Amino acid sequence: MSTGIISAYAGLLTLATVIIYCGSYGSLRPPSKPKKSTTSDVDDEESDLEDEIHSEVIDSSMALAYPIIGSVMLLALYLALKYIGPEIFNLFLSAVFGLAGIGSTYGTLTALAKTLVSDSHPRTPRYNLLLKKGNADLVSWKFSATTLVLLPASLLPAFAYYKLRGKDPRLAALSIVVLSISFAFNALKQLKLDSFRTGTYLLSGLFFYDIWWVFGTDVMVSVATKADLPIKLLWPKSLHVTSMKEFVVLGLGDVVIPGLFIALALRYDQERFLKSTSTPPTKRERTRFPAPYFKASIISYVLGLVLTMAVMHFTKHAQPALLYLSPACVLSFVLVASARGELIQSWKWQEDDGSTKHQPDVKPAHEQHNNTPTGSKVLHNGSIGPDGSKTIKANKSDPLLRGMDAESSDGTSRAD
């Protein structure tokens, strides 16, 4: 095995692992924010680097459907390449992926900036672009000076990818890798498995999917080699490459699919840590906690990918990476959970909607009844605050409240 091949495999392995590591931490739930003021200046009080992420949760039914959905999409790409031709196919989809890559790169740069810049960074100027027609607002865009820096930088990879396609292989490959990194990072950040059961279903289904489309047909290999799209990671075999064939290739699915499982393991470690603490952790502590499941899964991924590359090199044949990565990730979870005596508990665990907050223990309703402050009233459909203040949710059908005014916390009466 030549030095160039070894360095190419090592570079690709490192790149894939770093993407999964960063994407996993990017998927962690941030600390709960205090309620914002409803004043008109609320937007100006937000951080320059604020980026609200709306996560898409993958449940068991969706996980079971992914091999079918993936097969349909892969076959569609294969038929398009065969009957439309690679030139027109790549020209059209390069424009689509280039436009999508602008937003994806911007999201990645924003996350990077938030990591590098402390919370106490000086505020940058903010602007409001408003286009009106008569009294109607056509365009309203509030942005900061940070946006003016990150947005042009986000345009460069997409522009380079579209303009350099089929020309300089080194620069073209670089633009493809940058866009692929941004796509993979944002996928890991926004797509979330809801349980280890779902993750096992997903990896198991795609295990057979990958085997069939790589060994059973030429579809997967044909799409991977002919589609000049940012859906793969590339690393050159030497510094003097003259064509795209001189790169080692790893499909983006071989990063994202196991990465979703690994990110889930990290969030599970985080939730166990948050539940074990008696005080709300600081922002720094929310990313520094014991992570046995995460460490085991990411180490298993590295070992599985090394095995994939070794088999591919010595057999001189493309390998379905999930053939090795899927068992590695699932086995790491089973071994760690079994060793800790938590297999059944962790298998049944299901992540919430991503809005988990650190909350103190809440007493049952009957205990709250017995510990109400002296002189306070027990209210139907209401609650008693720690200071004895009373809040009522009036119910007209309740005979005890019919005809009575709701009593406010300051003792005044209000009519419904």
Side-chain angles (χ1 to χ4, degrees):
M1 187 181 293
S2 66
T3 304
I5 292 295
I6 295 177
S7 63
Y9 286 149
L12 204 58
L13 176 65
T14 303
L15 186 58
T17 306
V18 170
I19 292 173
I20 293 177
Y21 183 90
C22 295
S24 297
Y25 275 93
S27 74
L28 288 178
R29 290 164 294 199
S32 58
K33 301 176 184 178
K35 292 184 178 180
K36 298 178 182 178
S37 169
T38 55
T39 62
S40 59
D41 296 331
V42 65
D43 290 329
D44 294 331
E45 296 175 357
E46 294 181 350
S47 170
D48 295 330
L49 300 174
E50 189 64 38
D51 61 331
E52 292 293 334
I53 298 298
H54 302 284
S55 301
E56 181 71 25
V57 178
I58 302 174
D59 57 21
S60 297
S61 59
M62 294 176 62
L64 292 172
Y66 262 56
I68 300 175
I69 297 173
S71 297
V72 172
M73 295 179 62
L74 181 65
L75 191 58
L77 292 175
Y78 175 78
L79 293 176
L81 279 168
K82 183 175 181 179
Y83 293 105
I84 297 178
E87 185 62 31
I88 298 177
F89 174 89
N90 288 320
L91 180 63
F92 173 73
L93 286 186
S94 62
V96 175
F97 276 88
L99 291 174
I102 296 174
S104 181
T105 305
Y106 179 79
T108 303
L109 291 177
T110 301
L112 177 62
K114 288 182 66 177
T115 302
L116 297 178
V117 178
S118 66
D119 294 335
S120 59
H121 73 281
R123 299 191 63 80
T124 57
R126 305 184 69 85
Y127 308 94
N128 185 12
L129 177 63
L130 181 63
L131 299 180
K132 300 175 70 72
K133 183 178 181 180
N135 294 327
D137 295 345
L138 298 180
V139 176
S140 179
W141 181 34
K142 295 181 180 180
F143 57 95
S144 68
T146 308
T147 306
L148 297 180
V149 176
L150 297 183
L151 188 57
S154 304
L155 297 172
L156 292 178
F159 178 78
Y161 163 67
Y162 187 78
K163 296 296 292 184
L164 297 175
R165 185 182 59 85
K167 298 180 181 178
D168 189 327
R170 290 173 296 181
L171 295 178
L174 179 62
S175 63
I176 289 176
V177 169
V178 172
L179 290 177
S180 297
I181 290 174
S182 69
F183 285 137
F185 174 80
N186 282 281
L188 293 174
K189 188 176 182 180
Q190 299 182 34
L191 294 177
K192 296 184 178 181
L193 299 170
D194 68 350
S195 65
F196 287 109
R197 180 190 294 108
T198 297
T200 302
Y201 291 165
L202 179 67
L203 290 175
S204 300
L206 293 177
F207 170 84
F208 294 103
Y209 158 92
D210 222 19
I211 293 175
W212 166 251
W213 289 113
V214 173
F215 289 150
T217 70
D218 67 335
V219 173
M220 182 79 76
V221 176
S222 179
V223 171
T225 55
K226 294 181 180 179
D228 191 14
L229 302 174
I231 54 175
K232 53 192 173 185
L233 298 179
L234 304 171
W235 199 277
K237 298 177 182 178
S238 69
L239 297 177
H240 307 287
V241 295
T242 57
S243 71
M244 298 298 289
K245 295 181 179 180
E246 299 179 41
F247 289 85
V248 178
V249 181
L250 180 65
L252 214 56
D254 300 326
V255 178
V256 173
I257 300 302
L260 293 176
F261 192 89
I262 297 171
L264 174 68
L266 182 63
R267 295 196 302 275
Y268 180 60
D269 288 326
Q270 184 196 42
E271 181 168 306
R272 293 170 66 253
F273 166 73
L274 294 179
K275 287 183 176 180
S276 68
T277 58
S278 57
T279 57
T282 63
K283 181 178 180 181
R284 181 182 179 85
E285 290 174 339
R286 292 185 70 92
T287 58
R288 293 180 179 272
F289 49 83
Y293 288 89
F294 172 71
K295 291 178 180 178
S297 59
I298 200 167
I299 291 174
S300 297
Y301 175 84
V302 171
L303 296 177
L305 195 54
V306 169
L307 180 59
T308 304
M309 293 175 174
V311 174
M312 180 176 63
H313 179 78
F314 290 110
T315 62
K316 306 299 181 182
H317 189 281
Q319 294 294 309
L322 293 180
L323 170 63
Y324 310 95
L325 298 177
S326 292
C329 291
V330 174
L331 187 60
S332 70
F333 158 70
V334 173
L335 291 178
V336 172
S338 299
R340 298 173 64 89
E342 301 170 346
L343 182 58
I344 297 178
Q345 173 188 346
S346 55
W347 179 259
K348 292 181 178 180
W349 170 78
Q350 186 166 355
E351 190 177 23
D352 59 14
D353 60 359
S355 60
T356 295
K357 302 174 183 177
H358 180 88
Q359 296 176 341
D361 293 336
V362 180
K363 294 183 178 180
H366 68 276
E367 293 185 19
Q368 292 182 2
H369 242 275
N370 296 332
N371 292 287
T372 55
T374 304
S376 63
K377 300 176 182 178
V378 178
L379 303 173
H380 292 265
N381 300 319
S383 60
I384 297 178
D387 59 352
S389 61
K390 301 170 283 295
T391 304
I392 294 178
K393 180 179 179 182
N395 185 349
K396 294 300 184 180
S397 64
D398 192 330
L400 295 177
L401 295 179
R402 188 181 296 119
M404 297 175 60
D405 292 331
E407 185 179 7
S408 65
S409 60
D410 59 0
T412 60
S413 61
R414 296 176 295 187
D416 291 329

